[in-house]
Structure formats: C-alpha cells, structure tokens
C-alpha cells in the first residue's frame, strides 16, 4: 500500500513539475512574441499607415448610372443582374466560412462546459500530449525560422495550405489587374469629361458666332437700306449676297450644332458605360481586398511570398515531427483518448484540437483562439453586410429603371426573370 502511495505521490509531483515547465515555456513564448510584435510595430507603423487601404473611400464607392436610351437601359439591367449573381456567389461562399468559424466557437463552449471526471480526464490527456510533444521536440535538431505559434496556426489547415497559397498569389495578381483596370477606367472617365467640355465649348462658340452673324447681317441690311435711300443705288445684288451669306452661314452653324449634339449624346453613353464598368471593378476590388485581408489575418502573413516561405518551413518542421510520431505510441494513445472525450461532448471538429491541445491545457491560449475566431467572424459579417448592401443598390437601380420607364417594363422584367433575380415588390 505504501508503495502505491509513494508511486502516486511521485506521479503527482512529476505532473506538477511538467505543468510548471509547460507554463514557464508558454510565458517565455508569449514574452518573445510580445517583444517581437512591439518591435515590428515601432519599426513599421509609418509604412503600415501609408499602405493601409480605406475600402470605404470614394475610390471604391459605386457611382449612380442613369441610362437614357432603351438599349442602354436593357444593357444596364443585364449588368445589374450579372453583378447580383456575382454578389450572391460571394455571400454563399462567405456564409460557408462563417458557419465553420461559428462551429469552432461552439466547440470551445462545449469544452469549457466539461466538469467532473470528464474534465479531469480531458486535462490529463491534453497535458500528457503537451508533455510528450515537448519531449519529442527536445530531440529535434531543427534549423527553422518558423515559430511554434505559426505552426499551431497552420496545423488546422494543413491539407489546404497549398491551395490557399495559390489562391493568395492569384488574388494578389488579380488585385494588380483590378488596380490597373481602375486606373484605365478613371483615365477614360477623365478623357470623356475633357471631350464633353470641348463639345460644350464648341457649342458655345457656335452660339457666339450665330449672334455675331445676326448682328452683322442686320447691320448690312441697315447699311444697304441707308445707301439705297441716300444715293438711290440699286442694292439688289448686295441684298442677295447678304442673304446667300446668311443662308450658308446658318447651314454651317446648324450642321455643326447637330454634330455637337450627336457627339454629346455619344459621349454621355460612353460615360455611362465607363461608370458602370468602374462600379463593377470597384466592387470586385473591395471583395478581393477583403478576401486578401481575411486570409492574411487568418494565416498571420503579410503576403503570398511570406506565406510560401512559412509553408516551406512548416513542411520541414512537420517532416521532423513525423519521424518521431511514428515511434510515439503513447502520444497516439493520448490523442485518441482526447478525441474520445471530445466526441463524448459532441464536439463537431475533434481532430483540430490535436493541433490546438495547448488551448485545452491552458485557458489563456483558449482565450486567444476564441478572440481570433471572433475577429474572423466579425470580418465575415462585415463582408456579408457589404455584399447585401451592394445587392440592394443594384436591385434599387433596376426598380428605378422600371419606375422611370414603364413603357419598357415587360422587356426589363423578362431580362430580370432570365437571370432568376428575386425582387421585393
């Protein structure tokens, strides 16, 4: 009996020692992380402020388009319907990610509610996993720049990292293309404004010339009339010449005025098309930037190049880890035990907690994970709200066209129905 008491006491002391060691190591990692973060913030705060994008700025705000011609209205409605379909796809994708984050938060609540022997068993399994993992890492002669925090962040998405890196590269390339399109469309808008102003100036010049011509012709008629009465000279030819001059000048002014009106109408149609394209590019920019910002926050990286570098380091670290895991039967046993405890609590994603077991053993780590998930969920809510507002604006644009052009209502409704767009009556 005394032997078993001594053994139990020794085991308790060993567990306490390991727990203290784990807490000390965790505190050291936190201090290192905090110091690195403060240094990074002090050294790059000005750069961050310079590069920060304001997605609510005027650059990304859609502009109002009011096409006046029937064909332009139909084209505008089609573009609105296509944009609504794109927004619906964005919302569906975001809501799927939102549900995954919500499920993770629900799993945390289930773990926190565990009590009694189940709670003790879960903590014992988690602490043993932390202990065995630490012992295994002591034998690793790693020459890596990746931190344990980054490894823990990557582990839940291990099978998705290659695709996520490719997506981030594609998103950055796509953003560069969108920025180029924005610059081109802004340049086109500026060019069209200049052309429109030139047309207005030409039209004003024609008006001035017409006034001068009227004054000149009237002056000539008065002069010819005075000469006729003063000198009794035949003024038929001067009269006819003046009338011919007036007719030719009026014809030229009339033709130039008509050409200016046609150019003005064409310029306005081009402007409407440019604004419509600009609006769609702006919305794509906002969605793409939100996606980039979300993935950067999700994986803790600054860009795709850093993501790829971390991934290469992560692969090396996981390779070292796999060499020891194959011979660590005890670690597998406690991992299975941990999963069994979580399954008993109906945790939705049990496997993810193998990579986040430190959060079960240490409440402070769990608080950080909960904070990260809440931040991700807030970003997703903002993205959903933005896209829903964009959809409302496009639906309102279609309704405005229907209201202002009742004669085209049937054709426009057929276009809307062909895209299966649901409108609120």
């Amino acid at each position: 009996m005394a032997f078993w008491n001594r053994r139990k006491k020794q085991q308790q002391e060993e567990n306490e020692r390991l727990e203290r060691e784990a807490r000390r190591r965790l505190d050291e990692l936190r201090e290192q992380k905090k110091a690195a973060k403060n240094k990074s913030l002090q050294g790059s705060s000005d750069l961050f402020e310079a590069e920060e994008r304001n997605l609510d700025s005027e650059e990304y705000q859609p502009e109002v388009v009011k096409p006046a011609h029937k064909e332009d209205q139909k084209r505008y409605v089609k573009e609105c319907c296509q944009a609504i379909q794109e927004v619906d796809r964005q919302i569906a994708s975001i809501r799927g990610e939102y549900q995954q984050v919500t499920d993770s938060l629900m799993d945390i609540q289930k773990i926190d509610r565990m009590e009694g022997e189940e709670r003790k068993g879960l903590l014992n399994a988690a602490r043993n996993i932390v202990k065995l993992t630490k012992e295994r890492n002591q034998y690793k002669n790693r020459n890596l720049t990746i931190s344990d925090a980054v490894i823990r962040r990557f582990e839940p998405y291990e099978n998705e990292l290659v695709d996520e890196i490719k997506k981030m590269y594609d998103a950055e390339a796509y953003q560069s293309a969108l920025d180029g399109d924005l610059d081109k469309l802004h340049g086109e808008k500026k060019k069209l404004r200049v052309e429109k102003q030139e047309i207005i100036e030409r039209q004003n010049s024609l008006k001035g010339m017409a006034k001068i011509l009227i004054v000149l012709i009237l002056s000539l008629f008065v002069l010819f009339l005075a000469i006729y009465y003063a000198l009794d000279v035949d003024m038929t030819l001067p009269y006819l010449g003046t009338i011919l001059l007036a007719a030719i000048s009026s014809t030229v002014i009339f033709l130039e005025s008509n050409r200016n009106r046609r150019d003005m109408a064409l310029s306005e149609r081009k402007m409407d098309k440019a604004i419509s394209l600009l609006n769609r590019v702006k919305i794509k920019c906002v969605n793409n930037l939100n996606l980039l910002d979300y993935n950067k926050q999700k994986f803790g990286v600054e860009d795709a190049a850093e993501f790829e570098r971390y991934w290469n380091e992560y692969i090396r670290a996981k390779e070292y880890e796999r060499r020891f895991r194959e011979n660590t039967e005890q670690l597998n046993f406690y991992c299975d035990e941990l999963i069994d405890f979580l399954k008993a609590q109906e945790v939705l994603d049990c496997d993810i907690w193998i990579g986040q077991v430190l959060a079960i053993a240490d409440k402070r780590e769990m608080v950080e994970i909960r904070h990260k998930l809440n931040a991700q969920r807030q970003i997703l809510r903002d993205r959903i709200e933005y896209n829903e507002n964009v959809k409302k604006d496009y639906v309102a644009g279609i309704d405005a066209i229907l209201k202002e052009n009742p004669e085209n209502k049937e054709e426009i409704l057929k276009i809307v129905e062909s895209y299966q767009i649901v409108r609120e009556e």
Side-chain angles (χ1 to χ4, degrees), residues 30 33 152 363-373:
R30 289 181 185 280
K33 181 179 178 181
R152 290 197 302 272
K363 291 183 178 179
R364 291 174 295 181
E365 189 72 12
M366 184 70 83
V367 170
E368 287 192 6
I369 290 178
R370 185 186 289 109
H371 176 72
K372 182 189 74 172
L373 291 172

Side-chain angles (χ1 to χ4, degrees), residues 388 391-392 395-396 398-399 402 416 421-425:
E388 287 177 346
K391 181 178 179 180
K392 290 179 181 177
V395 172
I398 295 174
D399 290 337
L402 289 169
V416 174
I421 303 299
V422 178
R423 297 171 46 255
E424 294 180 2
E425 295 296 333

Side-chain angles (χ1 to χ4, degrees), residues 196 263-273:
K196 188 175 180 180
D263 291 344
M264 179 65 73
L266 181 60
S267 178
E268 288 177 351
R269 293 179 66 182
K270 289 181 179 179
M271 179 67 76
D272 287 345
K273 184 176 181 180

Side-chain angles (χ1 to χ4, degrees), residues 11 15 119-129 334 337:
Q11 185 177 6
N15 289 338
R119 181 70 177 177
K120 291 180 181 178
L122 180 70
L123 290 176
N124 180 64
R127 288 166 182 168
N128 276 288
I129 292 173
Y334 283 113
E337 188 176 54

Side-chain angles (χ1 to χ4, degrees), residues 27-144:
D27 291 337
E28 289 178 356
L29 289 173
R30 289 181 185 280
E31 291 297 328
Q32 293 174 5
K33 181 179 178 181
K34 184 177 180 181
K37 184 178 180 180
N38 291 337
K39 183 177 179 180
S40 176
L41 288 174
Q42 291 174 0
S44 62
S45 59
D46 294 338
L47 181 62
F48 178 80
E49 292 176 359
E51 294 180 350
E52 184 179 13
R53 297 177 184 265
N54 182 7
L55 301 183
D56 293 329
S57 65
E58 184 179 354
E59 183 182 2
Y60 297 110
Q61 294 302 315
E63 300 178 32
V64 178
V65 178
K66 293 184 178 180
H69 299 276
K70 179 178 179 180
E71 292 300 321
D72 292 342
Q73 292 167 3
K74 291 167 65 177
R75 174 184 54 79
Y76 173 74
V77 170
K78 288 181 181 179
E79 291 176 351
C80 285
C81 292
Q82 293 169 0
I84 290 172
Q85 288 183 332
E86 175 64 23
V87 169
D88 286 338
R89 285 193 292 269
Q90 289 282 344
I91 292 174
S93 175
I94 297 168
R95 282 178 175 165
E97 184 77 17
Y98 183 88
Q99 186 59 47
Q100 292 180 7
V101 175
T102 301
D103 290 342
S104 297
L105 287 170
M106 291 177 64
D107 287 346
I108 291 175
Q109 292 178 356
K110 293 174 182 177
I111 293 171
D112 290 340
R113 286 198 298 263
M114 293 179 67
E115 296 178 352
E117 293 299 322
E118 292 180 344
R119 181 70 177 177
K120 291 180 181 178
L122 180 70
L123 290 176
N124 180 64
R127 288 166 182 168
N128 276 288
I129 292 173
V130 172
K131 179 192 71 172
L132 293 169
T133 303
K134 181 182 177 182
E135 290 176 354
R136 185 181 57 185
N137 289 339
Q138 290 175 353
Y139 298 101
K140 295 180 181 178
N141 185 18
R142 298 188 306 175
N143 184 21
L144 302 172

